[in-house]
Amino acid sequence: MLVSNNLRNAIFRLLWNPRTQRALDGGAFGRRVVESRESSWREEAEGSILLKAVSHWRKDSESWFAGSYDRLPETLRVNPHTPDKEWIESWLDGIGASRTPWFSGPGSAWEMPFERGSAIGEIKNIMTALHDTGRITRQESVSMLPVLALNPSPGECILDLCASPGSKTTQICEHLGDTGAVIANEVISGRVNTLVTNVQRHGSRSAVVVQHDGRHFPKVPGKGFERVLVDVPCTGSGTTRKNPDVWSKWRPSAGRSLHSLQFDILRRAIAVTKAGGRVVYSTCSLDPVENEAVVARVLAEGKVRVIPSRELLPGVPSEYGVSDWPCLDDSGEPSEWDPVDENLMPPLDEEISSQLGGCLRVWNDAIGGGGFFLAVLEKTPESGDSSETARIPFPSPKQYIDPDSFPRPISQKRKTELENEWGSSPSSLWFRGKSLLWSTDEVMEIWESDRTRKSGREIVPGGRWRPLKVIHLGLIAARLRKGNLDRIVSKASRRLHEEVSGPFLDVEGTVIDDILRGLEPHRNTLEELGDEERGSRILVGPDGYCLAVWVGSRVTPMVSESEKTVMRAVRGLTTDSREEE
């Protein structure tokens, strides 16, 4: 099989370094290095156990292979809540990007006219700045499907049980706007940090980042969640276009070893969902053992039913779930099921088997991207934890006291300070360390609500987060210095301007343009300032654009380079201030 130009370019990027470049300049040696790597990679793919396994999961495995080979295109979402949405979409259209036709969520989704990670020049600079400032989110197209199937509504309380790195969490936030709550959970500390970074980058008020083992997630809020997303750890057999190592490393035994973990996480997701609520289970695996077998196992417990997924996602190139699959050994060949593998086998119960067709399979070649699986489950009202609701819980003997590192609602003293400084105090403000955090009324309701533990036998009063371990919440609105209010954070300025007067100064658009060009105008430019006033201010142009600055004898910007890059581009200035000087 011939290697595509896309693959060849990807390999060149992988191998490039100064020494290799010198060799390539010399010609023969460099060509031999690249051709050797191309050949070995192709041999790994064509002789892989994964390809053999796919031949037992569908008839035309050659078609799948042809669509699972080249590097993925760059794909992204546009944040519907950014005031620059129309400009961004016009810019994307102008550089040859195309809208994802089946994307039905708020905002928009786009496929770029180049491979993932290969943008160059000004396009790369603007894309990086748009992502860093939360205006867009780079995300694989098929990864957007679970949230579209979840279909969150403003004001709802949602759980993202396996949330890191956070692209689905931020997508849920875009459905909610500045309402509702998204409890974004991750168990591994390093991945928690990534999740927090992406939530902060996105700038949503509705997100709450927590750290728990998903198999034992606390039932907080006590009444349960309206919707739960369960994008479980998996073998990633559908990610060959993103992770070429899958070709050589994937084995059927890996899926069997993950099955119990996947089932336990999904089972807990169902337990913390309200009766009548929705659970979306998803993987980037093609293996039925990680997909339909897990769904069949929770169906057998009688607490959920499958909602046909294809009806919820019109236009998505997909196939129905399967109800029969072979046992494969680690050579990819069919073998006999072991009696201990009963949970991995196709279900014998016709009622369960008939529901599996309502799951959704996305094959790489059909969608032109990654492979994916999802199932939409509804918790049946008759299974609404009647055993728990029938109990009268007693107060928990354990004292749940939140540590100082947890966010807390601001005090009355702080509210008074904000009213004096800003003219009013927005609702749902919290403090943690040196930051004021702005959240939603629904997040405050979770904190205030009573919750139960030990299957409803004990009640823990509200006014705390425990037993939740909260790492971060909401939008960082302002910074504190020595316990006192210091400055509004740039990312929150535009939304705060709708609610408070505070440190906002109306200026001509040319003042903002000059500062973005790298000039530092004299403080006298800001006519509303008193002679002795110094410190942080937010300049507001006639178009509503906000620019955080520091006022001393001169006026200097207090925003990131990425924010300045976007503001220059939107305002028709060169994206590099040095070129303006």
Side-chain angles (χ1 to χ4, degrees):
M1 179 180 294
L2 294 176
V3 178
S4 71
N5 288 333
N6 287 346
L7 176 59
R8 189 181 302 276
N9 292 337
I11 293 171
F12 267 99
R13 284 194 301 274
L14 178 67
L15 293 176
W16 188 90
N17 58 51
R19 181 178 298 176
T20 305
Q21 183 64 56
R22 288 192 295 271
L24 290 174
D25 290 341
F29 173 74
R31 285 193 298 273
R32 285 198 299 270
V33 169
V34 174
E35 289 171 0
S36 173
R37 181 65 189 110
E38 286 182 356
S39 176
S40 64
W41 188 83
R42 183 172 63 249
E43 290 172 2
E44 287 176 1
E46 292 179 334
S48 67
I49 293 170
L50 176 58
L51 178 56
K52 190 180 297 184
V54 171
S55 71
H56 298 296
W57 297 333
R58 57 179 275 182
K59 294 179 180 178
D60 54 342
S61 58
E62 296 83 2
S63 177
W64 170 81
F65 183 67
S68 306
Y69 203 69
D70 293 338
R71 190 177 177 87
L72 286 171
E74 186 81 73
T75 51
L76 56 87
R77 293 189 337 264
V78 175
N79 187 340
H81 304 296
T82 174
D84 304 316
K85 176 178 178 290
E86 290 185 6
W87 180 90
I88 295 168
E89 291 178 340
S90 176
W91 178 79
L92 289 168
D93 188 61
I95 63 173
S98 57
R99 288 179 183 262
T100 301
W102 47 258
F103 183 82
S104 59
S108 55
W110 297 74
E111 181 176 310
M112 306 303 284
F114 45 77
E115 295 173 358
R116 186 177 180 179
S118 64
I120 59 174
E122 185 179 48
I123 290 176
K124 178 180 179 179
N125 293 338
I126 293 178
M127 274 191 63
T128 299
L130 289 171
H131 179 83
D132 289 348
T133 58
R135 290 169 168 89
I136 67 170
T137 295
R138 290 177 171 131
Q139 184 181 9
E140 189 176 349
S141 290
V142 291
S143 180
M144 303 175 193
L145 291 173
V147 176
L148 298 181
L150 192 69
N151 194 26
S153 297
E156 289 184 330
C157 188
I158 313 290
L159 172 62
D160 187 355
L161 194 51
C162 308
S164 191
S167 56
K168 296 180 185 68
T169 298
T170 57
Q171 188 180 353
I172 296 171
C173 291
E174 290 170 5
H175 282 253
L176 299 185
D178 285 334
T179 71
V182 185
I183 309 299
N185 178 62
E186 176 56 47
V187 64
I188 301 172
S189 295
R191 290 174 60 83
V192 170
N193 295 336
T194 302
L195 177 58
V196 170
T197 298
N198 274 313
V199 166
Q200 291 179 339
R201 174 192 63 78
H202 190 260
S204 169
R205 287 171 50 193
S206 58
V208 181
V209 177
V210 301
Q211 184 175 13
H212 292 275
D213 185 331
R215 296 170 294 181
H216 311 292
F217 193 85
K219 193 167 185 181
V220 180
K223 60 185 180 181
F225 294 91
E226 278 94 352
R227 300 173 197 265
V228 180
L229 176 60
V230 196
D231 188 53
V232 294
C234 68
T235 59
S237 51
T239 67
T240 51
R241 295 186 64 178
K242 181 172 65 175
N243 302 312
D245 285 348
V246 171
W247 290 115
S248 60
K249 293 182 178 179
W250 186 88
R251 297 291 184 275
S253 58
R256 291 195 292 272
S257 67
L258 282 173
H259 173 92
S260 292
L261 172 65
Q262 294 162 338
F263 167 74
D264 288 343
I265 294 174
L266 178 56
R267 193 168 188 254
R268 187 57 188 166
I270 294 168
V272 299
T273 303
K274 288 181 177 179
R278 177 175 293 188
V279 178
V280 173
Y281 174 81
S282 64
T283 77
C284 52
S285 172
L286 307 173
D287 187 351
V289 166
E290 300 179 73
N291 298 330
E292 286 91 348
V294 176
V295 174
R297 195 171 169 187
V298 295
L299 289 175
E301 297 195 337
K303 295 183 178 181
V304 292
R305 68 180 183 91
V306 173
I307 300 175
S309 303
R310 297 186 78 192
E311 298 175 9
L312 302 175
L313 298 168
V316 176
S318 61
E319 294 184 4
Y320 297 109
V322 298
S323 58
D324 190 27
W325 53 89
C327 176
L328 299 178
D329 62 25
D330 265 0
S331 68
E333 295 294 346
S335 63
E336 295 296 321
W337 289 105
D338 190 305
V340 300
D341 291 334
E342 179 182 1
N343 292 323
L344 312 181
M345 301 177 188
L348 299 177
D349 187 310
E350 178 59 31
E351 184 177 349
I352 294 174
S353 180
S354 64
Q355 291 192 62
L356 295 181
C359 302
L360 180 140
R361 285 185 155 266
V362 176
W363 294 94
N364 309 61
D365 54 319
I367 202 164
F372 215 77
F373 171 88
L374 67 81
V376 181
L377 308 173
E378 181 183 89
K379 188 167 182 178
T380 51
E382 60 269 21
S383 66
D385 294 334
S386 57
S387 60
E388 288 192 26
T389 55
R391 294 191 183 102
I392 299 177
F394 59 87
S396 174
K398 185 174 181 179
Q399 294 295 311
Y400 284 95
I401 300 174
D402 288 350
D404 291 340
S405 61
F406 282 20
R408 299 168 185 265
I410 62 171
S411 64
Q412 184 58 50
K413 179 180 178 181
R414 182 71 70 191
K415 289 181 181 178
T416 302
E417 179 190 14
L418 292 174
E419 289 168 357
N420 293 334
E421 293 283 338
W422 290 358
S424 64
S425 175
S427 64
S428 302
L429 283 177
W430 306 71
F431 79 92
R432 178 176 181 267
K434 298 180 180 179
S435 298
L436 288 187
L437 310 172
W438 193 15
S439 189
T440 65
D441 293 343
E442 290 80 5
V443 170
M444 185 68 76
E445 288 172 8
I446 293 173
W447 184 82
E448 292 173 341
S449 67
D450 294 345
R451 62 286 315 260
T452 60
R453 62 187 300 268
K454 293 191 174 180
S455 300
R457 294 192 299 273
E458 295 182 6
I459 188 168
V460 179
R464 71 197 71 210
W465 286 114
R466 298 288 299 273
L468 282 180
K469 181 182 178 182
V470 177
I471 308 299
H472 172 77
L473 66 79
L475 169 66
I476 300 176
R479 298 294 189 185
L480 306 175
R481 186 176 184 184
K482 296 182 179 179
N484 298 316
L485 188 63
D486 183 28
R487 59 183 176 85
I488 286 178
V489 173
S490 174
K491 188 179 286 289
S493 60
R494 191 151 187 165
R495 277 179 276 180
L496 278 175
H497 185 233
E498 298 172 359
E499 302 214 10
V500 305
S501 53
F504 294 91
L505 297 175
D506 293 330
V507 298
E508 295 296 327
T510 54
V511 175
I512 293 178
D513 289 346
D514 286 345
I515 295 173
L516 292 173
R517 288 188 175 104
L519 303 179
E520 295 183 357
H522 194 274
R523 57 173 286 106
N524 293 341
T525 306
L526 309 180
E527 297 177 357
E528 296 182 30
L529 279 181
D531 292 339
E532 302 300 322
E533 288 188 63
R534 298 288 190 276
S536 173
R537 295 291 185 273
I538 307 294
L539 306 185
V540 184
D543 54 2
Y545 238 100
C546 294
L547 177 65
V549 298
W550 182 265
V551 180
S553 60
R554 296 280 178 179
V555 182
T556 56
M558 294 184 65
V559 295
S560 67
E561 285 301 319
S562 290
E563 182 67 25
K564 285 188 277 187
T565 295
V566 175
M567 292 182 73
R568 291 185 196 113
V570 172
R571 301 174 74 84
L573 310 174
T574 178
T575 55
D576 188 344
S577 64
R578 291 170 298 184
E579 297 179 18
E580 295 274 1
E581 296 174 357

